[in-house]
Amino acid sequence: MTEERKTIKREDVEYLGKLARIRLTEEEINSFAVEFGKILEYVSSLAVLDTGDAGPARGTGRKDGPVRADRTEKSMDREEILANAPEKTDRFFKVPKII
Amino acid sequence: MDILSLTIGRIADMVRKREISCLEICERFLDAVKERDGEINCYLHVNDKILEEAKASDSRLAGGGSPRALEGVPVAVKDNICVRQMPATCASRMLENFVPPYDATVIERLRDQGALILGKTNMDEFAFGSSTESSAFFTTRNPFDITRVPGGSSGGSAAAVGARLCMGALGSDTGGSIRQPAAFCGIVGFKPSYGVVSRYGLIAFASSLDQIGPMTRDVMDSCIIMNVISGRDSRDSTCLDYDPPDYTRFLREDLKGIRIGVPVEYFPSGIEDSVREKVQDAIRAAESLGAEVEEISLPHTGYGIAVYYIVATAEASSNLARFDGVKYGYRTPSHENLLEMYMNTRGEGFGREVKRRIMMGTYVLSSGYYDAYYRKAEKVRSLIRKDFEEAFRKVDVIFTPATPEVPFRIGEKKADPLKMYLSDIFTANVNLAGLPAITLPVGYSGKLPVGLQVIAPFLREDMLFKSASAIENHFRHTS
């Protein structure tokens, strides 16, 4: 039996980091490339499984979730919410200049 | 009598009869935490106002208020569940300073029934792990052997119950995160059917798999907590429109008429001998209690972990996009523009396993790979669910080992993510199928506990608690 080794290149890891908005160190890029290779090899067992006419799983329960009336309710306290902001100005979250 | 050794059921009864005050209970537990948590490291945060809260409960009772189901009961809460004005860090630097402005639905319900929150417990960072070693702050130790892990991701809650540093705890279970640590710490851990308990206020990992559940000394305590936390919630649209039963009325001493399935796939050659033996003892005990035991097959079992890691990381990559350094949590000091702010914040704020899983999830959802990984995994998930449905046409409940092994040593699996992922091999499929399952101690291997898992059909918690309580009762009287 030939063993096909799944590999993932350093560039692929760097690209994924960009997609996921995560800055990676050189060390992380190198070790993730090796680890992802092993994990992808493991999950590739699914590729050879014939799923017949099985559709993708949808929902988990038998019953549909309930819907609620769209009514205005008292929300959380603004000060308490803003107390968690890394940076704020007046009553707003502050972010780096965009335009 | 030591207060620490009592169950919730017993202490609630004593409070009702005014044999003990809420203050006495909480003082005893707070002292125990001060004495022993330096060694076990369960708690990330201890509620310094609990004695005042206990006094308020006592005054309410003295003023003629009637005792509620959890009056004065000190409960520990996993740190990914929001408790107003207590930190909720998810054991991550990313949320180190986050203090939620609201209570999760389960917390509101615990408080309404008189429970007091003793503290927030350690976990794997964002619940990504099976040993609590990926916490950004410290590793929790197994109370049975402090050189070993308590399991994870709800390892702090499990160790706190196991070491008697709280009366009961809440955990969350995405692929086994309540049941595996419960088994490792010799306690009872229950994951409800998907949608029975509200997820409002649970910091999401994988929304189609996550459920909150109780971690307790015994099955009765699990039922008592379920009576309080379960039921519909308009703030979680995946929470079922369903009237939960009184779970405590299902407890039994015999198993007459119950058909138990034992799946061959859950006893592979790699499983530890002592685990196999203890679980087989439990199955024989079930027979002696009147159950009919039958060998069954769940043919797609072996694909579970692969499906789980695709589905769970895909959902996690989307759920964790919210940690961007804007509304709460960590923000990097070094950035020139918005994109850099995002990249550096997430690069610096997340730990290694969190990055690894977000990136895996991003990969399986990315253009060109979506069909091969994510869509394929969801199809296999259907097959796994169908296996259970077919099995449950023949049997009422399924018995399996909770884990393939006894608690492993700290550091033993940390360097090999795949090996760590495989410790959820007996628990993850239950989440993929949305079923209820419980793990309970059924003996020891040396000084380490071994757990049995009981799985029931969707919304058949009655069958599950009947079986678990009869087994528990049997071992209580034979050990």
Side-chain angles (χ1 to χ4, degrees):
Chain A
M1 202 172 77
T2 55
E3 196 178 311
E4 191 199 340
R5 237 191 144 73
K6 288 260 172 197
T7 51
I8 179 158
K9 295 195 281 289
R10 284 186 85 263
E11 302 87 83
D12 298 333
V13 177
E14 271 185 295
Y15 178 63
L16 280 177
K18 281 208 185 88
L19 287 178
R21 299 284 191 261
I22 299 177
R23 173 93 59 222
L24 300 168
T25 63
E26 282 302 304
E27 189 275 325
E28 283 172 333
I29 294 171
N30 291 327
S31 46
F32 284 172
V34 177
E35 289 160 9
F36 287 173
K38 282 192 203 162
I39 295 168
L40 290 175
E41 190 181 324
Y42 178 76
V43 303
S44 68
S45 64
L46 299 183
V48 293
L49 175 69
D50 179 9
T51 52
D53 55 2
R58 270 195 202 89
T60 324
R62 278 191 314 233
K63 299 181 177 183
D64 293 328
V67 286
R68 62 172 167 76
D70 189 16
R71 270 193 303 267
T72 315
E73 282 173 40
K74 194 173 175 300
S75 185
M76 291 169 218
D77 182 73
R78 186 200 297 262
E79 289 309 311
E80 270 185 84
I81 290 172
L82 282 170
N84 280 304
E87 249 191 290
K88 62 189 168 193
T89 172
D90 188 17
R91 295 173 295 130
F92 305 102
F93 296 111
K94 194 175 173 188
V95 292
K97 197 167 169 5
I98 294 168
I99 310 169
Chain B
M1 174 207 68
D2 187 353
I3 295 170
L4 297 183
S5 66
L6 300 174
T7 59
I8 295 173
R10 178 83 183 90
I11 213 122
D13 196 43
M14 289 172 69
V15 171
R16 256 192 299 278
K17 292 177 181 150
R18 308 290 198 274
E19 291 169 3
I20 193 168
S21 71
C22 301
L23 185 62
E24 281 173 274
I25 302 168
C26 290
E27 275 176 340
R28 183 70 189 95
F29 275 95
L30 205 54
D31 284 346
V33 170
K34 283 183 189 145
E35 219 169 275
R36 187 130 194 252
D37 199 39
E39 181 184 38
I40 308 287
N41 288 327
C42 315
Y43 285 97
L44 287 168
H45 173 81
V46 175
N47 177 13
D48 54 14
K49 296 197 186 82
I50 194 167
L51 297 183
E52 287 165 44
E53 292 169 15
K55 281 181 201 160
S57 302
D58 286 329
S59 322
R60 201 187 69 84
L61 293 177
S66 52
R68 296 162 290 180
L70 297 172
E71 197 73 60
V73 172
V75 174
V77 177
K78 187 178 182 179
D79 208 32
N80 60 351
I81 299 172
C82 292
V83 177
R84 189 159 179 259
Q85 289 173 348
M86 274 187 216
T89 68
C90 284
S92 179
R93 296 272 172 225
M94 184 60 94
L95 287 177
E96 197 167 358
N97 300 313
F98 175 59
V99 181
Y102 70 106
D103 275 337
T105 297
V106 289
I107 300 300
E108 265 182 17
R109 289 180 182 174
L110 287 178
R111 290 195 204 275
D112 282 347
Q113 287 302 318
L116 304 173
I117 311 301
L118 180 49
K120 303 295 295 291
T121 55
N122 198 21
M123 52 189 280
D124 283 293
E125 186 177 358
F126 283 104
F128 296 174
S130 311
S131 69
T132 315
E133 290 168 291
S134 79
S135 164
F137 304 115
F138 45 76
T139 296
T140 300
R141 292 164 182 277
N142 190 304
F144 287 86
D145 176 350
I146 59 166
T147 67
R148 293 175 188 267
V149 302
S153 64
S154 313
S157 284
V161 176
R164 304 192 165 175
L165 300 181
C166 65
M167 296 220 67
L170 293 182
S172 67
D173 191 315
T174 305
S177 280
I178 287 176
R179 290 161 288 152
Q180 183 255 23
F184 276 10
C185 292
I187 64 161
V188 174
F190 173 57
K191 184 204 89 77
S193 298
Y194 185 82
V196 166
V197 175
S198 167
R199 294 184 296 112
Y200 178 75
L202 169 68
I203 297 172
F205 163 6
S207 308
S208 79
L209 305 167
D210 297 343
Q211 269 290 278
I212 294 172
M215 305 177 77
T216 53
R217 300 256 166 78
D218 67 7
V219 177
M220 173 56 114
D221 282 1
S222 187
C223 295
I224 292 172
I225 291 184
M226 278 304 291
N227 278 356
V228 173
I229 64 172
S230 61
R232 59 176 65 76
D233 179 12
S234 61
R235 294 173 295 189
D236 172 7
S237 65
T238 63
C239 193
L240 297 171
D241 191 11
Y242 165 72
D243 285 316
D246 172 4
Y247 294 98
T248 59
R249 73 185 163 86
F250 300 130
L251 304 200
R252 290 285 185 285
E253 291 182 1
D254 69 70
L255 287 171
K256 286 190 190 87
I258 302 235
R259 295 164 304 169
I260 295 170
V262 179
V264 284
E265 293 83 0
Y266 282 69
F267 294 84
S269 56
I271 182 176
E272 243 168 69
D273 287 341
S274 57
V275 171
R276 181 194 307 272
E277 282 160 24
K278 294 298 163 193
V279 171
Q280 279 169 347
D281 286 350
I283 292 165
R284 273 191 292 275
E287 265 179 317
S288 74
L289 294 167
E292 287 168 44
V293 176
E294 174 179 345
E295 192 175 279
I296 59 166
S297 174
L298 298 166
H300 297 94
T301 298
Y303 297 102
I305 290 291
V307 173
Y308 173 75
Y309 274 91
I310 292 171
V311 172
T313 57
E315 294 187 26
S317 72
S318 167
N319 274 326
L320 272 69
R322 71 190 66 178
F323 302 105
D324 57 3
V326 174
K327 301 173 292 301
Y328 35 64
Y330 176 78
R331 178 187 288 187
T332 181
S334 55
H335 57 83
E336 297 287 321
N337 55 48
L338 187 68
L339 182 62
E340 248 182 34
M341 193 277 277
Y342 291 149
M343 302 269 302
N344 292 346
T345 290
R346 290 162 65 80
E348 293 159 21
F350 287 138
R352 203 181 177 87
E353 182 61 23
V354 176
K355 291 179 197 173
R356 188 153 46 214
R357 293 209 199 182
I358 292 175
M359 302 223 324
M360 274 303 296
T362 305
Y363 180 81
V364 300
L365 290 176
S366 63
S367 163
Y369 297 102
Y370 180 92
D371 282 347
Y373 290 104
Y374 184 73
R375 199 178 151 79
K376 181 80 184 195
E378 286 288 2
K379 282 184 182 173
V380 182
R381 183 179 182 179
S382 294
L383 297 177
I384 288 170
R385 193 180 294 177
K386 208 162 140 241
D387 282 355
F388 281 113
E389 282 165 9
E390 272 167 26
F392 285 129
R393 285 200 197 111
K394 289 186 289 186
V395 298
D396 299 309
V397 286
I398 292 172
F399 277 22
T400 79
T403 59
E405 69 218 325
V406 294
F408 44 89
R409 289 189 187 282
I410 291 171
E412 193 179 321
K413 298 192 184 189
K414 210 181 168 188
D416 188 343
L418 195 53
K419 218 169 167 187
M420 186 74 89
Y421 296 173
L422 289 169
S423 55
D424 292 332
I425 193 161
F426 297 152
T427 47
N429 292 6
V430 167
N431 300 72
L432 292 169
L435 305 176
I438 194 166
T439 58
L440 65 154
V442 290
Y444 293 89
S445 165
K447 60 177 176 178
L448 300 170
V450 174
L452 167 77
Q453 174 172 242
V454 180
I455 309 168
F458 187 63
L459 293 183
R460 293 308 302 270
E461 272 80 359
D462 56 332
M463 280 295 172
L464 180 139
F465 284 124
K466 270 180 199 175
S467 312
S469 58
I471 293 289
E472 175 184 69
N473 189 59
H474 173 85
F475 283 102
R476 198 176 266 167
H477 291 107
T478 53
S479 59

